[in-house]
């Protein structure tokens, strides 16, 4: 057999007791109808069989096997002389045709005594073999039992059940054996080792109104020690916050005073005077809040997602409490290159300890930009508000708006060209035959001639190009920003005015105020004829005033508000 660990144990059998004894751990799978329910050892070509038994066939604990039982049938004359039983252990779950399961290298025979033959019934009777050398069994391995008998015809017969891929049979000294879909009825008696059974299946049964947690486990012992503490502690080191060393029942044990909304870990071990079993696996138990909505994460938008006129914010909300959540108010603040506030109340309902993905109303991100998002839940009666908020930052949304660029006059024949597709994969400029790369580039013209400026954008969300002709008249105004446009008063208290010298009002498309963190605020003049703007709603500080002209040029001026 492959992938098997075989520990062969040769057993010298003492005499066997009467046929009415019952094994402590029997295995009796369903049998065919009599007389086809048994395997007789009655010929030289048919005097050996190996049978594989799974640990789950017996469900026995670790301990020492002292007796093996075989259910003998009356189909043939039951002679028990020269019976050999060998035992091994394996992790395999099947036997296949070929060589016998090995190694098998020593032979011991059963004592040549014969039980009363008249009491063997057609359904089979147990024959008990007391072992000279008891076998240690770990309680988890599968067992291979090897039965053979030589020199007797007829020999004894074993009652069989119907199971495939569990049995090999043939001549005892043959090199190979055949498979058979029959499994012999066997059993054994076992003496459990003291404190050899590590508690298993540790489980939380319930938490009562007094915040006591009730736990149970499976174990062979009759006395246990339990430790409870913050998850991650090592049992038996004094780190536990609760210890009980005199537990006499493995079910319904109360751990007192679990803090509401907290979790901890439990370990259990058998306790026999000064002998202890290994500790059980850790069990995490929690005492949930009555009402606790958790904003687990913001799923979207994600970095690199193309902008859209209908960009949704999706979040994951989990109900950590024991009360169903019916109404969940949600607020989302978007900041950065795009600013917006989204509010909604989710009425879909979330059951206790369940999660749901919620899609909140959309915002416009066609122009793209780098944004931050903060989402907050406001559930009434929430007992743990610390997990009600989630934030993500530096989310880049490439623009999908028509490709364009701004022209900013810097003075002395120097212009800045700024793409509205700044999150594209790459941007290539051609300024009068000079190539430049980047979202924003500066260029100083050598003479005031008209120049064509072209920009080509490459990206997953937008591709294309656009060109603009920069007229000579604009390039020749070296003192344009300084002498032709003035901000007054500066610093400003409650208002400021854009004063135009030799420029008609029709040349101004719009005026924007830019904060130091990059937010743009479009200003509305107090009247159509005078470019005067109110600053009452602005906090004190330094701003950039951007004046957009119909020619495409943007003039920037600093403004201090106090």
């Amino acid at each position: 057999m492959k992938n098997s660990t075989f520990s062969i144990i040769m057993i010298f059998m003492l005499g066997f007791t009467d046929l009415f004894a019952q094994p402590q751990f029997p295995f009796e799978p369903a049998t065919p109808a009599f007389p086809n329910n048994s395997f007789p050892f009655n010929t030289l070509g048919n005097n050996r069989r190996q049978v594989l038994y799974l640990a789950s066939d017996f469900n026995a604990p670790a301990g020492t096997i002292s007796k093996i039982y075989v259910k003998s049938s009356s189909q043939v004359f039951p002679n028990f002389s020269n019976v050999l039983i060998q035992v091994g252990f394996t992790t395999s779950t099947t036997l296949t045709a070929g060589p016998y399961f090995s190694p098998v290298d020593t032979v011991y025979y059963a004592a040549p005594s014969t039980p009363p033959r008249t009491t063997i019934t057609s359904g089979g009777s147990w024959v008990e073999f007391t072992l000279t050398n008891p076998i240690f069994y770990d309680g988890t391995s599968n067992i291979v039992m090897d039965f053979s008998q030589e020199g007797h015809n007829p020999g004894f017969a074993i009652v069989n059940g119907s199971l495939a891929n569990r049995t090999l049979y043939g001549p005892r000294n043959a090199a190979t054996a055949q498979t058979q879909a029959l499994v012999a009825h066997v059993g054994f008696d076992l003496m459990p080792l003291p404190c050899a059974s590590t508690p298993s299946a540790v489980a939380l049964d319930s938490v009562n109104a007094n915040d006591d947690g009730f736990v149970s486990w499976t174990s062979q012992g009759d006395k246990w020690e339990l430790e409870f503490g913050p998850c991650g502690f090592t049992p038996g080191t004094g780190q536990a916050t609760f210890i009980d060393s005199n537990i006499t029942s493995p079910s319904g044990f109360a751990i007192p005073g679990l803090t509401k909304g907290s979790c901890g870990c439990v370990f259990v071990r058998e306790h026999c005077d000064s002998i202890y079993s290994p500790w059980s696996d850790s069990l995490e138990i929690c005492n949930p809040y009555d009402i606790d909505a958790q904003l687990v994460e913001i799923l979207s938008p994600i970095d690199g997602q193309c902008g859209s006129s209908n960009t949704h914010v999706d979040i994951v909300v989990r109900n950590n409490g024991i009360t169903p959540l019916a109404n969940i108010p949600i607020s989302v603040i978007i900041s950065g290159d795009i600013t917006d506030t989204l509010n909604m109340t989710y009425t879909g309902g979330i059951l206790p300890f369940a999660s749901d993905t919620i899609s909140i109303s959309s915002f416009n991100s066609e122009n793209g930009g780098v944004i931050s998002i903060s989402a907050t839940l406001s559930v009434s009666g929430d007992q743990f508000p610390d997990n009600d908020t989630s934030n993500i930052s530096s989310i880049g949304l490439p623009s999908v708006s028509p490709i364009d660029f701004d022209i900013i006059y810097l003075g002395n024949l120097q212009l800045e060209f700024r793409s509205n597709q700044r999150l594209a994969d790459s941007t290539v400029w051609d300024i009068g035959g000079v190539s430049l790369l980047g979202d924003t580039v500066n260029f100083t013209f050598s003479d005031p001639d008209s120049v064509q400026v072209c920009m080509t954008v490459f990206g997953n969300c937008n591709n294309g190009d656009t060109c603009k002709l920069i007229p000579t008249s604009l390039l020749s105004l070296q003192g344009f920003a300084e002498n032709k446009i003035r901000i007054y008063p500066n610093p400003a208290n409650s208002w400021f005015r854009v004063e135009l010298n030799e420029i008609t009002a029709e040349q101004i498309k719009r005026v924007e105020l830019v904060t130091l963190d990059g937010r743009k605020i479009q200003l509305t003049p107090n009247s159509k004829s005078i470019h005067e703007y109110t600053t009452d709603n602005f906090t004190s500080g330094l701003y950039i005033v951007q004046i957009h002209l119909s020619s495409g040029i943007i003039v920037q001026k600093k403004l201090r508000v106090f």
Side-chain angles (χ1 to χ4, degrees):
M1 291 294 297
K2 296 181 180 179
N3 301 322
S4 301
T5 302
F6 188 78
S7 176
I8 191 69
I9 301 175
M10 305 307 168
I11 308 132
F12 181 77
M13 308 299 172
L14 294 179
F16 31 83
T17 60
D18 203 0
L19 308 174
F20 300 107
Q22 294 291 319
Q24 185 182 3
F25 297 98
F27 181 59
E28 301 177 81
T31 64
F34 181 81
N36 298 315
N37 68 337
S38 61
F39 182 96
F41 293 88
N42 59 355
T43 67
L44 291 177
N46 199 29
N47 61 357
R48 183 182 183 185
R49 65 198 285 100
Q50 288 185 337
V51 186
L52 173 66
Y53 299 95
L54 305 183
S56 58
D57 294 339
F58 303 106
N59 289 317
T64 303
I65 297 176
S66 57
K67 295 180 181 181
I68 289 180
Y69 295 77
V70 176
K71 180 166 277 192
S72 180
S73 168
S74 63
Q75 178 176 330
V76 296
F77 193 76
N79 189 314
F80 293 91
S81 297
N82 296 339
V83 172
L84 170 65
I85 301 177
Q86 300 173 98
V87 178
F89 303 104
T90 180
T91 59
S92 297
T93 58
T94 60
L95 295 177
T96 57
Y100 282 109
F101 194 85
S102 61
V104 176
D105 53 13
T106 306
V107 176
Y108 292 97
Y109 290 97
S113 59
T114 303
R117 298 164 185 159
T118 56
T119 57
I120 302 288
T121 66
S122 62
S125 299
W126 289 109
V127 177
E128 171 189 328
F129 294 90
T130 301
L131 307 184
T132 302
N133 300 310
I135 309 165
F136 172 74
Y137 176 52
D138 62 11
T140 61
S141 297
N142 300 330
I143 303 173
V144 175
M145 291 195 183
D146 188 314
F147 304 96
S148 63
Q149 185 177 25
E150 282 196 78
H152 292 272
N153 187 4
F156 85 105
I158 306 178
V159 175
N160 289 269
S162 300
L163 287 174
N165 301 319
R166 296 275 205 99
T167 295
L168 296 176
Y169 78 98
R172 200 181 76 80
N173 295 317
T176 60
Q178 306 176 63
T179 59
Q180 189 179 46
L182 294 173
V183 173
H185 285 202
V186 301
F188 54 80
D189 289 350
L190 178 141
M191 177 67 70
L193 295 181
C195 291
S197 174
T198 301
S200 61
V202 185
L204 175 66
D205 300 329
S206 63
V207 178
N208 66 12
N210 296 323
D211 296 328
D212 299 329
F214 293 86
V215 295
S216 299
W217 55 89
T218 299
S219 176
Q220 297 292 325
D222 57 10
K223 189 176 181 181
W224 297 269
E225 181 178 44
L226 178 145
E227 292 193 4
F228 173 78
C231 289
F233 84 95
T234 302
T237 61
Q239 301 174 9
T241 57
F242 174 80
I243 298 174
D244 192 322
S245 301
N246 194 32
I247 303 171
T248 57
S249 173
S251 62
F253 178 78
I255 301 175
L258 300 179
T259 302
K260 185 73 75 175
S262 70
C263 295
C265 284
V266 173
F267 293 89
V268 184
R269 64 178 176 178
E270 284 189 15
H271 174 29
C272 310
D273 298 325
S274 61
I275 301 174
Y276 295 86
S277 76
W279 288 101
S280 68
D281 291 337
S282 172
L283 169 70
E284 183 179 19
I285 62 175
C286 300
N287 185 17
Y289 288 108
D290 295 327
I291 301 175
D292 177 24
Q294 177 188 2
L295 204 164
V296 179
E297 62 177 327
I298 300 173
L299 286 180
S300 66
I302 61 174
D303 189 48
Q305 178 179 322
C306 295
S308 167
S309 62
N310 190 31
T311 301
H312 284 268
V313 177
D314 296 330
I315 65 173
V316 177
V317 177
R318 174 178 167 80
N319 183 0
N320 292 328
I322 61 175
T323 303
L325 297 175
N327 298 301
I328 306 174
I330 305 168
S331 176
V332 173
I333 298 175
I334 301 165
S335 59
D337 293 333
I338 304 170
T339 58
D340 206 342
T341 299
L342 310 177
N343 294 288
M344 71 167 293
T345 297
Y346 179 67
T347 58
I350 303 179
L351 295 175
F353 313 115
S355 299
D356 202 356
T357 299
I358 301 173
S359 184
I360 304 171
S361 56
S362 62
F363 66 97
N364 190 337
S365 63
E366 279 184 313
N367 292 331
V370 179
I371 64 171
S372 297
I373 300 177
S374 177
T376 303
L377 309 179
S378 301
V379 175
S380 177
D382 194 316
Q383 296 168 290
F384 188 65
D386 290 355
N387 60 3
D388 290 354
T389 299
S390 182
N391 302 282
I392 56 175
S393 59
S394 302
I395 304 301
L397 306 178
S399 172
V400 293
S401 61
I403 294 174
D404 195 7
F405 61 86
D406 293 328
I407 307 167
I408 301 173
Y409 181 78
L410 302 178
N412 297 323
L413 295 180
Q414 186 179 26
L415 298 182
E416 179 178 273
F417 301 97
R418 183 177 299 168
S419 170
N420 71 341
Q421 308 286 319
R422 66 186 184 87
L423 294 178
D425 293 339
S426 64
T427 304
V428 180
W429 300 85
D430 184 336
I431 305 176
V434 178
S435 293
L436 298 173
L437 296 176
D439 296 333
T440 300
V441 296
N442 293 343
F443 191 82
T444 301
F445 294 86
S446 59
D447 54 63
D449 291 333
S450 297
V451 176
Q452 179 169 269
V453 177
C454 293
M455 178 187 73
T456 304
V457 173
F458 302 91
N460 291 326
C461 300
N462 224 351
N463 287 283
D465 55 29
T466 186
C467 295
K468 293 182 181 181
L469 183 65
I470 308 301
T472 301
S473 59
L474 290 176
L475 292 175
S476 63
L477 297 176
Q478 296 190 21
F480 185 79
E482 294 81 1
N483 302 323
K484 305 303 180 182
I485 299 180
R486 187 167 71 97
I487 303 295
Y488 180 85
N490 191 1
N493 185 4
S494 59
W495 62 274
F496 72 92
R497 179 181 297 173
V498 178
E499 293 186 345
L500 310 175
N501 297 322
E502 302 177 8
I503 299 178
T504 63
E506 286 72 25
Q507 288 181 284
I508 294 180
K509 292 172 61 177
R510 67 181 185 276
V511 176
E512 293 177 331
L513 206 63
V514 183
T515 64
L516 292 181
D517 61 4
R519 290 188 303 110
K520 290 185 178 182
I521 305 168
Q522 187 164 337
L523 302 178
T524 301
N526 295 335
S527 70
K528 292 183 179 180
S529 59
I530 301 175
H531 294 280
E532 184 175 291
Y533 304 91
T534 301
T535 61
D536 289 340
N537 296 326
F538 301 146
T539 58
S540 298
L542 184 65
Y543 295 85
I544 301 295
V545 179
Q546 288 188 346
I547 304 162
H548 295 252
L549 303 180
S550 56
S551 62
I553 286 183
I554 301 171
V555 177
Q556 295 190 149
K557 306 286 284 186
K558 293 180 181 179
L559 172 68
R560 184 173 296 279
V561 176
F562 67 96

